Amino acid sequence: MSNSMKKFSLALFLVISGFVWVQAQNYIEYHRSILQIEEYVLVDAYAPALVLFDSLFEQYEFVYAIDCFTAAQLATLEAKPTQAFFFLEKGILRGLSWDLIAENGILNPLQSEKEWLKLKAAYPELRMKYENSIDQELCREVQKLYEIDLAKTEELKAASLVWEQIVYPQWRKQVRRNMEVLLAMIKEKGFPGEKIIGLDECLGVDYDMAAMPPKLPVIGRNVLLNSKMAFLMTVHYFSDPHQDFNDLLLEEVKKGNLPPGHYAAINDFQAKYGKQKYGDYEYYNQWHKDDRAKRRSIKKVNKRRAAIGLGSYQHKRLKRKRWLRARAQKKENELVYIRP
C-alpha cells in the first residue's frame, strides 16, 4: 500500500472512530441505561444494576455525580469494595463531598477497608481536579443571575395582594432579562448545568431554601447532587407565555448538559402557562400534570417521556413513593439513592 493510501486509510479510520465516539456519547441512551438500573434497584436486583454501571463508566466520558454515588452504594452492598472505591473516586472528581461519603449509612462498611484512608488522603487533590474541570467563571455568572432571580422571587412570595400588582411586573421583567443572558450562555457554551459548571455546591453555596439543613448531609434532603440554578430560572421564564427554544434544549439533553427530567419540567411549564400562544405544547408530567390524565393521555405522555430517556409516569410515581416512605421512617441515609 502506498504512503498516500495509508494516510487516507488512517484519516478514514479516525473519522469513523470519531463518529462512533460521538454516537456513543448520546446522553439520551445514557439515561435509558440509568432507567434500567433504576428498575433493577426498585426490586433490589443490585448485581445486574452494577453490571450496567460498569458499562456506563466504560462508555461515557462524563458520568453524573448522583450515578457515581449510587454505583458506589451498590458495589458496597454487593461486597465489592474495590469497585466501590473506584466509583467514589470518580464521584469526587464530579463533586461528591467527603462529608456526604463519610456519613452515608450504606457506605459506612467501607471505612474498615485500608483503601478508605488512602481515598481520604487523596480527597483534597481530587477535589481540586474537580474544581479545575468546571467552568468556575461561568458558574459565578450563573450564581449572580440566580441570586437576583431568587431575591425577586422571594419578594414576590412575601408581597401582599395589593403590593403583588407592583412586584409581579418587576419580577417578570427581571426573569426576561436573566433569560436573555442565560440564552446567550447556552448558545455559546451549552446549558450551564452539572456537566459544565458542576454541582450547585461547586463554590460552597447552599441554595436549599426549604428548611434548615440537618446536622448530617443527607442526599435528597439538603444535598441534591444536581445543578438547578439555570434550570429554575428557565422554568420561571416559562411561567408566562414565551417563544420556546426546545430544539436548542433537546440538543443539550443529547450532549448531557441538560438532564431529561429538567427538559420535561420546562415543557410542563410551557404546557401549563403557555396558553398555546406560541405552540401546542404537551405535558411530560414531570412537574405539572396533564389535567386530561386518562389512559390514552398517559400513553402519549409516556411516549414523550421515553423519547428523551425518561421512565414512564408510573415509574416516576413508584420512585416517589419509595422515597417518601424512607423519609417518613427517617431512613433516607440507608436507602440506595436514585433520581427523584
Side-chain angles (χ1 to χ4, degrees):
M1 184 184 294
S2 67
N3 288 335
S4 60
M5 284 296 293
K6 287 180 180 179
K7 289 179 180 179
F8 174 77
S9 299
L10 177 60
L12 182 62
F13 171 78
L14 292 173
V15 168
I16 293 172
S17 298
F19 176 76
V20 171
W21 174 253
V22 169
Q23 289 292 97
Q25 297 294 295
N26 184 334
Y27 275 80
I28 289 180
E29 294 303 322
Y30 173 103
H31 292 292
R32 285 175 178 150
S33 294
I34 292 297
L35 171 61
Q36 181 62 64
I37 288 170
E38 289 177 351
E39 290 176 348
Y40 281 135
V41 169
L42 288 173
V43 294
D44 298 331
Y46 300 151
L50 206 51
V51 171
L52 276 179
F53 264 132
D54 277 335
S55 177
L56 274 182
F57 277 82
E58 288 178 4
Q59 187 177 356
Y60 288 88
E61 184 179 8
F62 172 85
V63 177
Y64 292 87
I66 187 174
D67 299 329
C68 297
F69 187 84
T70 302
Q73 286 186 315
L74 295 179
T76 304
L77 290 169
E78 287 294 294
K80 295 183 176 181
T82 300
Q83 205 172 7
F85 283 112
F86 168 80
F87 293 135
L88 286 179
E89 182 174 326
K90 293 291 185 183
I92 293 169
L93 290 170
R94 296 269 58 87
L96 294 184
S97 73
W98 185 255
D99 286 345
L100 180 65
I101 294 168
E103 298 296 343
N104 185 255
I106 290 177
L107 299 178
N108 185 264
L110 296 177
Q111 298 191 30
S112 61
E113 302 287 336
K114 61 181 180 181
E115 290 91 345
W116 179 263
L117 292 179
K118 291 180 181 179
L119 185 64
K120 185 176 181 180
Y123 177 79
E125 183 179 351
L126 294 172
R127 177 71 186 188
M128 188 178 297
K129 286 182 179 180
Y130 158 68
E131 292 176 354
N132 290 336
S133 73
I134 62 176
D135 191 331
Q136 293 193 32
E137 182 179 351
L138 186 63
C139 182
R140 291 187 185 94
E141 291 176 18
V142 173
Q143 283 182 344
K144 287 177 183 177
L145 287 177
Y146 183 67
E147 285 164 7
I148 295 169
D149 179 284
L150 192 61
K152 272 295 176 186
T153 302
E154 291 300 314
E155 184 182 354
L156 180 61
K157 287 180 180 179
S160 64
L161 190 60
V162 175
W163 185 243
E164 183 181 338
Q165 306 307 310
I166 299 173
V167 176
Y168 180 65
Q170 296 175 352
W171 177 80
R172 284 187 62 180
K173 187 176 181 179
Q174 187 61 60
V175 166
R176 286 196 298 269
R177 283 178 180 171
N178 283 2
M179 183 49 62
E180 288 175 6
V181 179
L182 191 58
L183 193 52
M185 290 178 181
I186 296 170
K187 290 177 178 178
E188 181 184 357
K189 295 188 175 182
F191 194 92
E194 178 183 342
K195 189 177 180 184
I196 295 177
I197 66 170
L199 303 175
D200 280 350
E201 300 87 352
C202 63
L203 299 178
V205 180
D206 180 9
Y207 286 109
D208 183 11
M209 307 298 291
M212 290 297 290
K215 292 180 181 179
L216 300 180
V218 178
I219 187 170
R221 189 193 302 169
N222 68 320
V223 176
L224 299 179
L225 288 186
N226 64 21
S227 182
K228 63 183 182 296
M229 294 184 292
F231 160 66
L232 288 176
M233 286 189 282
T234 306
V235 298
H236 284 169
Y237 178 72
F238 285 112
S239 295
D240 286 298
H242 286 109
Q243 180 65 54
D244 72 275
F245 38 90
N246 279 341
D247 290 345
L248 177 62
L249 292 181
L250 186 57
E251 286 303 310
E252 295 303 301
V253 174
K254 293 176 183 177
K255 294 174 185 175
N257 295 331
L258 180 67
H262 287 182
Y263 175 86
I266 290 167
N267 273 266
D268 283 347
F269 272 79
Q270 292 172 1
K272 186 174 180 65
Y273 298 110
K275 301 177 182 178
Q276 308 302 316
K277 186 174 181 180
Y278 293 101
D280 187 20
Y281 300 115
E282 301 285 358
Y283 284 90
Y284 285 75
N285 286 21
Q286 186 68 11
W287 188 311
H288 296 297
K289 184 180 175 183
D290 191 347
D291 293 331
R292 305 162 300 165
K294 298 177 182 178
R295 183 174 298 177
R296 184 181 299 176
S297 178
I298 286 294
K299 285 183 178 179
K300 291 180 179 179
V301 167
N302 286 340
K303 187 175 181 180
R304 286 190 285 272
R305 292 175 64 91
I308 59 172
L310 280 181
S312 68
Y313 177 62
Q314 294 85 343
H315 176 77
K316 178 181 180 294
R317 290 184 64 189
L318 191 62
K319 291 194 295 179
R320 179 67 176 166
K321 287 180 180 178
R322 172 181 178 268
W323 168 251
L324 290 176
R325 186 165 56 248
R327 186 156 192 169
Q329 297 171 353
K330 297 183 179 180
K331 291 184 177 180
E332 308 105 301
N333 224 22
E334 302 169 28
L335 185 72
V336 175
Y337 192 76
I338 53 179
R339 300 172 189 208

